[in-house]
Amino acid sequence: MNEFVVTWGAPRAERADAARNRRHLLATARQMLAEQGPNTLTMDGLAERAGLGKGTVFRRFGTRAGIFAALLDDDEQAFQQQVLSGSPPLGPGAPPLERLIAYGRARTGFLIAHGDIARAALDGHQPIPAGSQSPISQVHIRMLLGQLDLSGADLDMLATQLTAALDGPFLLYLAASGTTATPGTAERIADSWQYLIQRVCRA
Amino acid sequence: MNEFVVTWGAPRAERADAARNRRHLLATARQMLAEQGPNTLTMDGLAERAGLGKGTVFRRFGTRAGIFAALLDDDEQAFQQQVLSGSPPLGPGAPPLERLIAYGRARTGFLIAHGDIARAALDGHQPIPAGSQSPISQVHIRMLLGQLDLSGADLDMLATQLTAALDGPFLLYLAASGTTATPGTAERIADSWQYLIQRVCRA
């Protein structure tokens, strides 16, 4: 499981003041998001609200989209911690089928809740790059499939297919510009994930 | 099934000489592809080989990538005809589960065989736009799922998930720049599709 710990982890050698600035900027950005939504959050506005120089914000994030990418990355790490060491059935300790269902449900909820941030992280220009979707999902799904008795399955390929099945509906939702999350969307995707995974994995 | 007939069909009002030029240009482009591969096919080269003016080629395709997009579109229509009115199990007349398996196998083969053209149609700049993947697959898979006894399933969402599962491995393959199709790739994806769809659809 170390692959995505390394991938997602913050640089170890970050200096203490840089780390403090980073945490302060992310916390400030979260406050501004909660108050105003993503559309009015700018580099200048963030610097002013945080009481830091524009140069500091620029060096940290590069672009406005970089702020949102950093927020996503921060939340991804928290999500990953729940999967690696949180309570079952999302965390370790539950049977693999239950963990697969819980993972898909939690991941869907996470992605839908982060739809606005994910869209802003893409800066409105760049389509979602195909092939870069959720390595964390693929590694985790592959591991849990390996704990089930799926004789005859090509587990690597099946994990790729199920990861795509998990991400697909969300990517469609994300690509539909202007769509806002309705309470039912995440639930509907999650229910269908559970149906799919139960049928694939039943003995 | 009319949705994608309309989507993919050539414009009806195309004039006879324009249609003749189009067929001639596509046939010439196919010859050049077969002889030289996609990398050396240019707008100027195509005009010269076809004995037509550069303006004609430009008006028809717009850009070099447009040539490849037109080739793909042409082959998509032929593929679609096999699904709509070809022999079973890809075409009508076989049980829905057999048609689902045959469709995924044929679609995988089609996509892998067209990997070079698809990459060139993207012009090397634009990532594959998320959400624009294979509407033909989704409509067809949804129709066949409806003929099975999948009580409790959200058939629209399940079709979205299975379409993503079908396209996902190919999109990863396409995103891996420089990869050339190996004979085993299509077979491996197709076998795993069959495994997945059999488990999802068995009674």
Side-chain angles (χ1 to χ4, degrees):
Chain A
M1 301 292 284
N2 275 328
E3 288 89 334
F4 57 80
V5 176
V6 173
T7 305
W8 291 106
R12 277 192 210 169
E14 189 176 45
R15 281 169 43 190
D17 57 344
R20 199 165 46 235
N21 275 350
R22 179 172 164 281
R23 284 196 304 274
H24 177 53
L25 283 167
L26 290 178
T28 307
R30 282 188 203 286
Q31 278 175 6
M32 294 174 75
L33 270 180
E35 290 165 15
Q36 311 159 18
N39 294 336
T40 54
L41 180 60
T42 62
M43 300 277 274
D44 286 354
L46 177 58
E48 192 182 325
R49 175 78 171 260
L52 290 168
K54 291 181 189 177
T56 303
V57 176
F58 180 81
R59 276 192 303 278
R60 170 56 64 185
F61 300 120
T63 62
R64 177 176 179 275
I67 301 172
F68 293 97
L71 287 170
L72 255 188
D73 190 63
D74 202 46
D75 289 351
E76 276 282 4
Q77 289 188 46
F79 178 80
Q80 177 192 330
Q81 277 310 314
Q82 292 183 346
V83 174
L84 289 175
S85 54
S87 313
L90 181 57
L97 177 54
E98 280 181 43
R99 290 196 75 193
L100 276 168
I101 292 169
Y103 181 79
R105 288 198 160 276
R107 189 70 189 163
T108 298
F110 177 88
L111 291 173
I112 295 280
H114 287 76
D116 281 345
I117 295 182
R119 233 180 252 121
L122 293 170
D123 210 6
H125 296 298
Q126 224 181 334
I128 303 125
S132 70
Q133 299 142 9
S134 303
I136 178 179
S137 290
Q138 187 148 345
V139 171
H140 190 60
I141 289 171
R142 171 65 184 82
M143 183 200 75
L144 293 171
L145 288 178
Q147 297 175 1
L148 291 159
D149 181 24
L150 295 171
S151 62
D154 178 339
L155 292 180
D156 289 331
M157 192 58 77
L158 187 59
T160 302
Q161 291 171 319
L162 290 175
T163 303
L166 178 57
D167 290 346
F170 171 71
L171 292 175
L172 280 179
Y173 156 81
L174 197 64
S177 57
T179 309
T180 48
T182 55
T185 305
E187 192 66 14
R188 196 177 156 204
I189 296 176
D191 285 348
S192 194
W193 167 260
Q194 176 162 346
Y195 180 90
L196 174 67
I197 210 73
Q198 279 176 330
R199 292 191 74 101
V200 171
C201 297
R202 65 190 165 164
Chain B
M1 301 292 284
N2 275 327
E3 288 89 334
F4 57 78
V5 175
V6 172
T7 305
W8 292 104
R12 277 191 211 169
E14 188 176 45
R15 281 169 43 190
D17 56 344
R20 200 164 45 236
N21 276 351
R22 179 173 163 281
R23 284 195 304 273
H24 176 54
L25 282 167
L26 289 179
T28 307
R30 283 187 202 287
Q31 278 175 5
M32 295 174 74
L33 270 182
E35 290 165 15
Q36 311 158 18
N39 294 336
T40 55
L41 180 60
T42 62
M43 300 277 274
D44 286 354
L46 176 58
E48 192 183 324
R49 175 78 171 259
L52 290 168
K54 292 179 189 177
T56 303
V57 176
F58 181 81
R59 276 192 303 277
R60 169 56 65 186
F61 300 119
T63 61
R64 177 177 179 275
I67 301 172
F68 293 97
L71 287 170
L72 255 188
D73 190 63
D74 203 45
D75 289 351
E76 275 283 3
Q77 289 188 46
F79 179 80
Q80 177 191 331
Q81 277 310 314
Q82 293 183 347
V83 175
L84 288 174
S85 55
S87 313
L90 182 57
L97 177 55
E98 281 180 43
R99 291 196 74 193
L100 276 169
I101 293 168
Y103 180 79
R105 288 199 160 275
R107 188 72 189 161
T108 298
F110 177 88
L111 291 173
I112 295 281
H114 287 77
D116 282 344
I117 295 183
R119 234 180 251 122
L122 293 171
D123 210 7
H125 297 298
Q126 225 181 332
I128 302 125
S132 69
Q133 299 143 8
S134 303
I136 178 179
S137 291
Q138 187 148 344
V139 171
H140 190 61
I141 289 171
R142 172 65 184 80
M143 183 199 75
L144 293 172
L145 288 177
Q147 296 175 2
L148 291 159
D149 180 24
L150 295 171
S151 63
D154 178 339
L155 292 180
D156 288 331
M157 191 58 78
L158 187 60
T160 302
Q161 291 172 318
L162 290 175
T163 302
L166 179 57
D167 290 345
F170 170 71
L171 292 174
L172 279 179
Y173 155 82
L174 196 64
S177 58
T179 310
T180 48
T182 54
T185 306
E187 192 67 15
R188 196 178 155 202
I189 295 176
D191 285 348
S192 194
W193 166 261
Q194 177 163 346
Y195 180 91
L196 174 68
I197 210 73
Q198 279 176 330
R199 292 191 75 103
V200 171
C201 297
R202 64 191 165 163

